[in-house]
């Protein structure tokens, strides 16, 4: 009888608790009060179980009270396949998912609406797979083009990153799945990432490295954030009081969970007291984690207070309340036609036309009989590879398959591999050499010789660009340059398609080849989108999200010998002059500039106007510009608005992106494009006072089709802060 009463008690308690958690509340105060009530019912041991991993992507729950563990999962490319202990594949048949284009591809669309759709669909897939925290989006600034995760991240510009991050987060969380924005902060290289300490001046931190995180939290309302592996100013990011408590909780009012990167926790007391909530990692035994038995002991010893533990539990319950325990959750969906469409649309808008001097593109399909498709990347898939997050794609259309589908009935397509993209670095040989294969090149030349047109696919791949290591230089791997030379000599009608997630040295190709297309690790619909761009069904509209240097030494960290650091310290000597800010200010000609990308049509800009000539700091500058499609094809143009301030009290970049808009314009039509800049966005961060300052005086507004092709300019005046 006693037992029955006890189980009835537990049962009703469980029902009450779950309904307490599930109840929809109108405001956060009620939620907080409910959570406070629940926390009182949890024992210390149970609280500790909530604060560390108990599996590669999971945490403990409190069964007695019906509190589930958290289920997290990577990551930016789609919902990762299930794993066993560590990261070993579980080999299930139920864990395939949609493969979404990589981060720099999404950034190349310059289309925040697509970032929202990406997030929304990723959220639906996460829900279908019962993963309530998506370890995405990832958007560390592309400081050096060598960073192995450049492909995963967005761009070199804080404003572009922020606009995309906010929408990705909103999309994911529209499905009541928590976004986990990562990696907070200054995780801009993979070399020594577990130990390196970043020294960056406060102004660069605030103006370049933090804005997208700030926007993702304060505008996007991201519910979780991942601390980075590295240190900032000698403190690990996972125990960095300045980052986690002063900025994140204090200034940005973050309410959710700070999650460590996997294996990125380094202490119990410091991490606990300085703002980390949850320690994740993939190596058992989990009770030996800093936030397991050691945390329990530290609380018992009085070095970590119960209030600190309760705060962490509160953050966790608060996120559960919005996700796994959300009442009336949306329906999860996976591998749907709608998701396919999103992937296709992102891929189609991300592809960048770099050069089309002889108008070989779009292909004049009617007059072409034989196409030679050459290159390992034409048949390679990109959903898995290297070290780090991939996705077991339900399917992926390769470039060759896409072309065969679009052209196979009217055109003979012959394929030659040209090079082998197999890349297997090891501990003893971390950057194996990638020599040309003369036999494959010879076959390619024969295939090219007899074709009307050659489409030559080269670039990186998911083994070559990888988490955990940086590339050692920008050169094209696998003897691709030799292949390009040989094939182009055999057939001058050669179109070069480069697939990669980061800049490469394509200077010789730019000099010697007439036709160059840039594509990415572009998701399940990779080949379909590419084929449609090549045949002209889609007019390319991607714009580069980072500068391609003519020489690696021109890039700021390399020019200043400030990469990868010495004695595990890296000094960001370039300060705010990251990416195009450096190239423009120092008057260095890049190979291809930030924001660059051609179209099959042409756009004429005119009539740049502002709503008035002078502004108060609380106002917004409304700008209009006319853009005429003066060519034959309908096309999308990304209008980019840069601002400069001359005569400033502080060093300024030559120009900074402050607004952009992508518009579709029919041939012959003129669009009136509206852009708006809140005057407060013109502020610089004053590291002496810790304040954002809008300087009074004149600012130049520059509208262009890239950062270096400015079409119209005007001057406005701002009054300073009252
Ligand atoms: C990466 C994270 C990722 C985590 C879990 C780490 O190595 O840095 O981005 O989410 O692993 O896979």
């Amino acid at each position: 009888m006693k037992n029955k009463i006890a189980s009835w008690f537990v049962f009703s308690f469980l029902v009450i608790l779950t309904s307490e958690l599930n109840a929809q509340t109108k405001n956060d105060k009620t939620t907080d009060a409910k959570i406070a009530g629940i926390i009182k019912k949890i024992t210390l041991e149970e609280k500790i179980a909530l604060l560390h991993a108990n599996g590669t992507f999971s945490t403990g729950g409190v069964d007695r009270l019906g509190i589930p563990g958290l289920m997290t999962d990577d990551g930016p490319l789609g919902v990762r396949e299930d794993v066993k202990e560590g990261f070993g594949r579980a080999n299930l048949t139920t864990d395939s998912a949609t493969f979404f284009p990589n981060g720099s591809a999404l950034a190349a669309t310059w289309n925040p609406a697509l970032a929202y759709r990406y997030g929304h669909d990723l959220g639906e897939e996460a829900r279908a797979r019962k993963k309530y925290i998506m370890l995405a989006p990832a958007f560390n600034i592309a400081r050096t083009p060598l960073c192995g995760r450049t492909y995963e991240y967005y761009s070199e510009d804080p404003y572009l990153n922020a606009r995309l991050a906010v929408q990705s987060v909103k999309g994911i969380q529209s499905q009541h799945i928590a976004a986990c924005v990562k990696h907070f902060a200054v995780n801009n290289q993979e070399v020594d990432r577990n130990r390196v300490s970043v020294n960056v001046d406060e102004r660069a931190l605030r103006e370049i490295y933090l804005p997208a995180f700030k926007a993702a939290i304060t505008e996007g309302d991201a519910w979780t954030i991942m601390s980075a592996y590295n240190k900032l100013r000698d403190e690990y990011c996972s125990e960095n009081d300045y980052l986690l408590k002063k900025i994140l909780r204090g200034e940005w009012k973050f309410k959710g969970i700070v999650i460590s990167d996997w294996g990125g926790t380094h202490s119990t007391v410091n991490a606990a007291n300085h703002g980390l909530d949850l320690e994740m990692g993939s190596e058992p035994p989990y009770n030996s984690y800093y936030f397991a038995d050691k945390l329990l002991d530290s609380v018992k010893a009085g070095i970590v207070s119960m209030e600190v533990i309760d705060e962490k539990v509160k953050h966790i319950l608060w996120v559960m309340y919005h996700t796994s325990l959300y009442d009336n959750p949306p329906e999860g969906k996976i591998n749907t036609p709608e998701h396919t469409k999103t992937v296709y649309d992102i891929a189609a808008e991300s592809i960048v036309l770099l050069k089309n001097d002889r108008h070989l593109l779009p292909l004049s399909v009617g007059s072409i009989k034989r196409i030679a498709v050459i290159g390992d990347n034409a048949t390679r898939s990109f959903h898995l590879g290297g070290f780090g997050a991939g996705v077991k794609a339900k399917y992926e259309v390769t470039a060759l398959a896409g072309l065969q589908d679009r052209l196979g009935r009217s055109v003979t397509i012959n394929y030659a591999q040209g090079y082998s993209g197999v890349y297997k670095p090891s501990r003893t040989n971390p950057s194996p050499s990638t020599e040309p294969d003369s036999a494959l090149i010879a076959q390619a030349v024969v295939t090219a010789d007899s074709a009307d047109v050659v489409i030559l696919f080269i670039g990186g791949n998911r083994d070559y660009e990888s988490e955990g290591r940086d590339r050692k230089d920008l050169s094209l791997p696998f003897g691709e340059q030799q292949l390009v030379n040989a094939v182009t000599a055999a057939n001058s009608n050669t179109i070069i398609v480069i697939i990669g997630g980061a800049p490469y040295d394509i200077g010789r190709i730019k000099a010697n080849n007439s036709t160059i297309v840039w594509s990415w690790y572009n998701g399940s619909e990779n080949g379909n989108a590419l084929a449609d761009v090549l045949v002209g069904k889609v007019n390319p509209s991607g714009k580069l999200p980072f500068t391609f240097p003519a020489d690696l030494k021109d890039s700021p960290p390399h020019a200043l010998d400030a990469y990868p650091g010495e004695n595990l310290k890296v000094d960001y000597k370039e300060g705010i002059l990251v990416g195009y800010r450096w190239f423009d200010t120092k008057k260095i000609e890049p190979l291809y500039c930030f924001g660059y990308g051609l179209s099959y049509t042409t756009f004429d800009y005119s009539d740049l106007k502002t709503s008035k000539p002078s502004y108060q700091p609380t106002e917004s500058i409304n700008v209009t510009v006319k853009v005429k499609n003066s060519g034959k094809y309908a096309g999308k143009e990304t209008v980019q608005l840069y601002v400069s301030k001359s005569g400033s009290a502080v060093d300024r970049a030559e120009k900074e992106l402050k607004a952009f808009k992508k518009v579709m314009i029919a041939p012959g039509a003129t669009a009136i494009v509206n852009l708006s800049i809140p005057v407060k966005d013109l502020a610089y961060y004053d590291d002496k006072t810790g304040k954002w300052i809008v300087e009074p005086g004149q600012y130049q507004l520059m509208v262009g089709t890239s950062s270096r092709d400015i079409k119209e300019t005007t001057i406005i005046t701002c009054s300073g802060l009252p």
Side-chain angles (χ1 to χ4, degrees):
M1 184 63 182
K2 250 191 185 168
N3 272 354
K4 267 199 180 160
I5 295 176
S7 45
W8 177 85
F9 180 78
V10 170
F11 174 74
S12 6
F13 184 70
L14 236 154
V15 171
I16 294 166
L17 182 73
T18 321
S19 60
E20 264 181 82
L21 281 165
N22 281 350
Q24 303 285 302
T25 46
K26 292 254 172 340
N27 62 54
D28 272 356
K29 275 201 184 127
T30 328
T31 314
D32 290 351
K34 281 174 188 291
I35 289 172
I38 296 160
I39 290 176
K40 289 202 185 101
K41 296 166 188 158
I42 312 178
T43 67
L44 174 60
E45 283 74 8
E46 288 168 339
K47 288 174 186 170
I48 300 293
L50 293 168
L51 305 184
H52 63 87
N54 75 348
T56 303
F57 288 109
S58 60
T59 69
V62 185
D63 290 348
R64 178 179 72 86
L65 301 178
I67 300 174
L70 290 169
M71 269 316 294
T72 70
D73 207 6
D74 285 307
L77 298 181
V79 187
R80 182 183 186 133
E81 71 186 305
D82 285 344
V83 294
K84 296 188 292 202
E85 200 140 279
F87 287 101
R89 309 175 76 162
N91 288 323
L92 306 182
T93 51
T94 48
D95 59 351
S96 70
T98 298
F99 167 32
F100 292 90
N102 65 291
S104 46
L106 184 62
T109 69
W110 291 61
N111 189 339
L114 286 176
Y116 182 88
R117 284 174 57 197
Y118 153 82
H120 173 277
D121 294 0
L122 184 64
E124 279 192 340
E125 300 219 345
R127 194 157 268 291
R129 295 264 310 275
K130 300 194 171 31
K131 317 286 186 188
Y132 297 104
I133 300 179
M134 259 294 102
L135 306 174
F139 47 79
N140 292 92
I141 287 282
R143 174 178 182 252
T144 161
L146 296 182
C147 175
R149 297 184 89 170
T150 305
Y151 81 90
E152 226 178 311
Y153 300 152
Y154 289 162
S155 86
E156 66 186 26
D157 182 77
Y159 180 76
L160 178 56
N161 276 16
R163 292 308 98 216
L164 298 167
V166 166
Q167 293 307 318
S168 298
V169 167
K170 285 189 172 173
I172 294 171
Q173 295 190 169
S174 70
Q175 300 310 302
H176 285 273
I177 298 297
C180 181
V181 295
K182 65 190 189 183
H183 308 85
F184 189 58
V186 287
N187 182 182
N188 310 101
Q189 66 188 53
E190 292 298 281
V191 172
D192 297 327
R193 68 172 178 177
N194 295 313
R195 295 176 304 155
V196 75
S197 177
V198 172
N199 186 27
V200 56
D201 68 69
E202 192 62 18
R203 193 171 156 215
L205 183 69
R206 299 288 183 154
E207 292 187 19
I208 305 291
Y209 296 97
L210 294 188
F213 285 101
K214 180 179 181 186
I217 303 297
T218 59
E219 283 178 59
D221 192 24
W223 295 331
T224 79
I225 189 166
M226 188 186 292
S227 58
Y229 279 129
N230 49 283
K231 299 175 184 173
L232 168 66
R233 300 175 189 146
D234 295 324
E235 303 283 352
Y236 277 111
C237 291
S238 57
E239 52 188 70
N240 196 303
D241 198 76
Y242 185 63
L243 276 180
L244 302 182
K245 290 181 78 178
K246 177 163 187 313
I247 296 179
L248 182 63
R249 299 271 178 210
E251 296 178 21
W252 301 347
K253 311 288 176 229
F254 178 64
K255 292 194 71 175
I257 312 172
V258 178
I259 304 176
S260 78
D261 201 340
W262 268 232
T265 308
H266 298 271
S267 66
T268 298
V269 178
N270 260 347
N273 288 338
H274 293 168
L276 183 71
D277 294 316
L278 175 57
E279 180 186 7
M280 292 305 292
S282 57
E283 297 298 326
Y286 295 103
N287 63 349
S288 70
Y289 276 32
Y290 292 104
F291 272 23
D293 294 353
K294 292 181 196 119
L295 185 54
L296 185 65
D297 294 344
S298 304
V299 179
K300 286 183 178 160
I303 349 176
V304 175
S305 71
M306 197 57 144
E307 291 73 52
V308 164
I309 300 295
D310 284 352
E311 264 303 297
K312 300 184 193 312
V313 173
K314 181 172 122 187
H315 302 149
I316 286 171
L317 291 175
W318 186 81
V319 170
M320 285 183 181
Y321 202 84
H322 287 78
T323 56
S324 51
L325 294 173
Y326 186 73
D327 194 21
N328 198 14
E331 192 194 338
K333 291 177 191 160
I334 196 147
N335 295 317
T336 66
E338 290 77 18
H339 298 180
T340 293
K341 175 83 170 75
T342 298
V343 170
Y344 175 86
D345 288 348
I346 296 171
E349 286 203 20
S350 72
I351 295 165
V352 184
L353 181 63
L354 293 178
K355 194 170 174 190
N356 196 19
D357 281 4
R358 288 177 50 217
H359 298 284
L360 290 184
L361 290 175
L363 294 169
S364 36
V365 177
S367 60
I368 296 172
K369 295 204 170 42
R370 296 166 80 85
I371 294 183
V373 172
I374 294 173
D376 187 279
N377 268 352
T379 53
R380 185 169 281 270
S381 60
F382 303 108
H383 51 277
L384 289 171
F387 171 78
V391 55
K392 192 202 276 182
K394 172 101 175 161
Y395 72 92
E396 179 179 345
V397 180
T398 64
L400 180 60
L403 283 166
Q404 276 163 337
D405 181 67
R406 271 31 176 193
L407 296 172
R409 276 166 299 276
S410 54
V411 177
T412 303
I413 297 178
N414 293 313
Y415 172 70
Q417 190 188 359
Y419 68 92
S420 160
V422 173
Y423 191 71
K424 289 207 171 101
S426 63
R427 244 176 245 284
T428 49
N429 189 8
S431 27
S433 70
T434 59
E435 295 301 320
D437 182 323
S438 48
L440 291 180
I441 293 181
Q443 274 169 19
V445 165
V446 172
T447 310
D449 202 30
S450 56
D452 300 325
V453 171
V454 179
I455 311 178
L456 173 48
F457 292 85
I458 56 167
N461 61 42
R462 292 281 322 289
D463 292 324
Y464 191 68
E465 292 175 38
S466 168
E467 184 183 331
R469 55 185 141 87
D470 293 346
R471 283 179 295 156
K472 63 178 193 322
D473 57 39
L474 295 181
S475 58
L476 287 166
F478 314 123
E480 291 172 3
Q481 184 64 57
Q482 287 86 335
L483 176 67
V484 169
N485 298 346
V487 168
T488 313
N491 191 327
S492 60
N493 289 340
T494 293
I495 295 160
I496 308 290
V497 180
I498 307 155
I499 297 180
Y504 281 79
D505 178 2
I506 51 169
R508 278 160 73 190
I509 294 180
K510 183 183 178 189
N512 299 336
N513 288 79
S514 66
T515 318
I516 314 171
V517 174
W518 188 275
S519 189
W520 313 89
Y521 307 129
N522 239 340
S524 298
E525 288 287 303
N526 160 38
N528 286 337
L530 244 175
D532 285 344
V533 164
L534 297 175
V535 302
K537 187 172 164 210
V538 169
N539 189 349
S541 64
K543 301 273 190 179
L544 294 178
F546 26 63
T547 307
F548 277 47
D551 187 324
L552 179 62
K553 288 198 203 78
D554 295 342
S555 278
H558 304 276
L560 299 172
D561 199 13
Y563 165 90
E566 268 172 38
N567 302 323
L568 297 176
K569 288 186 190 292
V570 57
D571 212 351
Y572 286 15
K573 292 181 194 159
E574 69 281 8
I576 57 163
L577 296 184
V578 174
Y580 66 91
R581 286 166 166 77
W582 169 268
F583 284 82
D584 290 353
T585 309
K586 302 289 179 189
K587 316 268 183 262
I588 301 167
E589 192 64 34
L591 188 66
Y592 286 111
C593 70
F594 175 77
Y596 177 83
L598 303 174
S599 165
Y600 294 149
T601 191
T602 45
F603 298 104
D604 298 340
Y605 286 61
S606 63
D607 266 341
L608 171 61
K609 285 195 183 114
T610 58
S611 46
K612 50 185 193 157
S614 57
Y615 295 84
Q616 303 291 322
T618 48
E619 294 179 309
S620 284
I621 307 161
N622 293 318
V623 177
T624 57
V625 64
K626 286 187 184 157
V627 183
K628 179 174 183 194
N629 181 342
S630 48
K632 291 197 302 256
Y633 299 90
K636 289 187 178 170
E637 168 70 327
T638 298
V639 178
Q640 303 165 34
L641 176 49
Y642 297 85
V643 178
S644 77
K645 172 92 189 81
S646 53
S648 171
V650 293
D651 289 339
R652 296 264 191 162
E654 171 85 13
K655 63 172 94 72
E656 295 177 6
L657 181 72
K658 294 293 177 190
F660 62 88
K661 191 175 273 176
K662 194 163 193 175
V663 282
M664 178 72 177
I665 312 175
T670 297
I672 298 177
V673 180
N674 298 297
L675 298 146
S676 174
I677 309 173
V679 173
K680 68 175 176 39
D681 284 6
L682 303 181
Y684 71 89
Y685 186 82
D686 180 29
D687 45 14
K688 288 179 200 72
T689 58
K691 292 204 166 73
W692 291 91
I693 312 273
V694 176
E695 279 185 289
Q698 291 190 333
Y699 290 79
Q700 188 178 34
L701 309 188
M702 294 164 270
V703 169
T705 183
S706 78
S707 61
R708 289 205 164 212
D709 192 359
I710 298 300
K711 304 289 192 187
E712 293 271 298
T713 65
T714 189
I715 304 271
I716 55 111
T717 305
C718 290
S719 57
L721 280 171

